[in-house]
């Protein structure tokens, strides 16, 4: 830990001063200035000097007990970092900077902690570090030393408070677990409902498409059946045009024969049947007369 050293008497006419050091020279008790770095000339016996280290150094503040704003006793230990910015003031304005810095840090800590609650002490450590640094810097500035940083290393609350904090932490974790589980169940229920909704929509669309396809198929089948019936009627009509009256009469006779074998007692006979039967009878009479003539000629 680099700080100012004790006063030394110059026994040689020169001194070698390192880059990170400075010499505050006193001649017969009067400060003559700051010298260095490099080779520094001095008046033996008459000159005295104090070596000052310009590098940043630290002070470990012993564990301190303080009372928070809500009357909770806590133990705190922290470390402070300093750097000499005014060499002359660091020698002339303070006799024992290390002891002075430790005492001012302890009193400043109690002052700061007394205005902060225990919860804030535990949760806002960075803000407390900055507050301590600013208050310490206000005091050490007149000594030519700047506080560059303050770091709280450990805050120890009393055992009863630690036990209460442990129970509180456990309860908070349990609450978070319950909330997380409830949110998970909610999200799962929403996803299931959304899935059911999409499934119903797809099922309805599928049924709709199936109905449309079935209707189109029925329409096409009906059209094909109609075309088949039309073609069959056309063929029947074409075939009927080539059938003469005799053939039709014979077909009607076959039909009458079938009707005669039926158990029904009433029949509907088309008007065309009488004309056809008359024609057939005429044909039969002509055939009978032709047969008689042929027989006579044969005799």
């Amino acid at each position: 830990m680099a700080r100012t050293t004790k006063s030394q008497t110059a026994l040689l006419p020169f001194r070698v001063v390192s880059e990170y050091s400075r010499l505050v020279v006193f001649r017969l008790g009067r400060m003559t200035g700051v010298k260095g770095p490099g080779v520094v000339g001095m008046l033996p016996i008459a000159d005295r000097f104090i070596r000052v280290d310009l590098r940043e150094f630290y002070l470990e503040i012993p564990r301190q007990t303080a009372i928070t704003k809500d009357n909770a006793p806590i133990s705190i230990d922290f470390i402070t970092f300093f750097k000499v910015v005014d060499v002359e003031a660091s020698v002339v304005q303070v006799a024992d900077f290390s002891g002075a810095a430790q005492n001012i840090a302890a009193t400043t800590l109690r002052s700061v902690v007394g205005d902060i609650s225990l919860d804030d002490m535990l949760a806002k450590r960075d803000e407390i570090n900055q507050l301590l640094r600013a208050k310490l810097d206000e005091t050490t500035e007149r000594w030519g030393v700047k506080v560059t940083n303050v770091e709280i290393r450990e805050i120890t609350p009393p055992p009863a408070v630690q036990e209460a904090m442990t129970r509180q932490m456990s309860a908070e974790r349990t609450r978070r677990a319950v909330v997380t589980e409830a949110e998970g169940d909610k999200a799962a229920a929403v996803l299931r409902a959304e899935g059911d909704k999409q499934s119903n929509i797809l099922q309805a669309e599928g049924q709709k498409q199936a109905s449309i396809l079935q209707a189109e198929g029925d329409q096409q089948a009906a059209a094909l059946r109609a075309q088949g019936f039309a073609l069959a009627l056309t063929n029947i009509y074409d075939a009927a045009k080539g059938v003469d009256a005799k053939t039709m009469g014979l077909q009607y006779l076959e039909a009458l024969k079938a009707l005669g074998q039926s158990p029904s007692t009433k029949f509907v006979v088309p008007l065309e049947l009488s004309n056809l039967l008359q024609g057939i009878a005429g044909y039969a009479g002509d055939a009978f007369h032709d047969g008689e003539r042929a027989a006579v000629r044969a005799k």
Side-chain angles (χ1 to χ4, degrees):
M1 181 166 52
R3 294 185 298 273
T4 57
T5 59
K6 294 182 178 180
S7 175
Q8 300 180 23
T9 301
L11 300 177
L12 299 175
F14 64 89
R15 282 280 179 175
V16 178
V17 182
S18 302
E19 181 67 31
Y20 54 82
S21 299
R22 297 294 185 272
L23 296 183
V24 180
V25 181
F26 296 87
R27 182 167 295 172
L28 300 178
R30 183 182 296 274
M31 186 175 65
T32 60
V34 179
K35 296 184 180 181
V39 179
V40 177
M42 307 186 83
L43 187 63
I45 306 301
D47 287 347
R48 296 175 60 250
F49 66 90
I50 297 177
R51 188 183 299 271
V52 179
D53 197 324
L54 300 181
R55 292 175 293 183
E56 187 172 358
F57 60 96
Y58 66 92
L59 286 175
E60 293 185 2
I61 308 302
R63 182 177 293 272
Q64 304 291 322
T65 300
I67 305 298
T68 62
K69 185 177 181 179
D70 48 358
N71 297 323
I74 58 174
S75 297
I76 302 177
D77 69 309
F78 63 102
I79 186 171
T80 58
F81 295 84
F82 299 90
K83 183 177 179 63
V84 174
V85 293
D86 188 341
V87 178
E88 293 182 0
S90 67
V91 174
V92 177
Q93 298 297 330
V94 61
D96 182 7
F97 173 77
S98 177
Q102 288 184 356
N103 284 281
I104 194 64
T107 56
T108 302
L109 174 66
R110 291 186 177 91
S111 175
V112 171
V113 172
D115 295 332
I116 303 175
S117 64
L118 178 60
D119 291 339
D120 290 339
M121 284 293 301
L122 299 174
K124 300 178 180 180
R125 184 173 296 190
D126 290 339
E127 296 180 9
I128 297 172
N129 289 338
Q130 294 300 323
L131 184 59
L132 283 172
R133 187 197 64 76
K135 288 186 173 294
L136 288 174
D137 199 36
E138 292 176 359
T139 303
T140 61
E141 185 178 6
R142 65 175 183 265
W143 300 338
V145 179
K146 181 174 180 58
V147 180
T148 58
N149 197 14
V150 175
E151 290 292 337
I152 295 176
R153 293 193 294 190
E154 186 177 4
I155 300 176
T156 306
V161 175
Q162 292 184 13
E163 183 179 356
M165 291 171 58
T166 301
R167 292 197 303 269
Q168 180 182 3
M169 181 176 60
S170 178
E172 180 65 19
R173 288 181 177 176
T174 302
R175 184 190 68 82
R176 291 181 181 178
V178 172
V179 170
T180 302
E181 184 178 0
E183 290 178 351
D185 293 340
K186 177 182 177 182
V190 170
L191 291 176
R192 284 195 297 269
E194 186 67 22
D196 294 340
K197 176 182 176 182
Q198 294 295 330
S199 177
N200 293 333
I201 291 174
L202 293 176
Q203 185 177 3
E205 291 180 352
Q207 292 176 353
K208 178 181 177 182
Q209 293 294 331
S211 299
I212 293 173
L213 293 176
Q214 184 176 1
E216 292 178 352
D218 294 341
Q219 183 179 3
Q220 292 179 358
L224 292 175
R225 285 195 298 270
Q227 292 178 359
F229 290 152
L231 181 61
L233 292 175
T234 301
N235 293 333
I236 293 172
Y237 177 74
D238 292 340
K241 288 193 299 183
V243 178
D244 55 3
K246 295 179 180 180
T247 303
M248 292 298 296
L250 293 176
Q251 292 293 331
Y252 274 116
L253 291 176
E254 292 293 333
L256 290 174
K257 182 180 180 180
L259 289 176
Q261 297 176 355
S262 173
S264 298
T265 57
K266 295 182 179 180
F267 304 100
V268 178
V269 180
L271 295 176
E272 291 82 356
L273 180 60
S274 60
N275 296 329
L276 290 173
L277 291 177
Q278 290 177 0
I280 293 173
Y283 294 141
D286 293 339
F288 179 75
H289 292 302
D290 290 338
E292 285 183 347
R293 291 189 188 98
V296 172
R297 284 194 300 269
K299 290 180 179 181

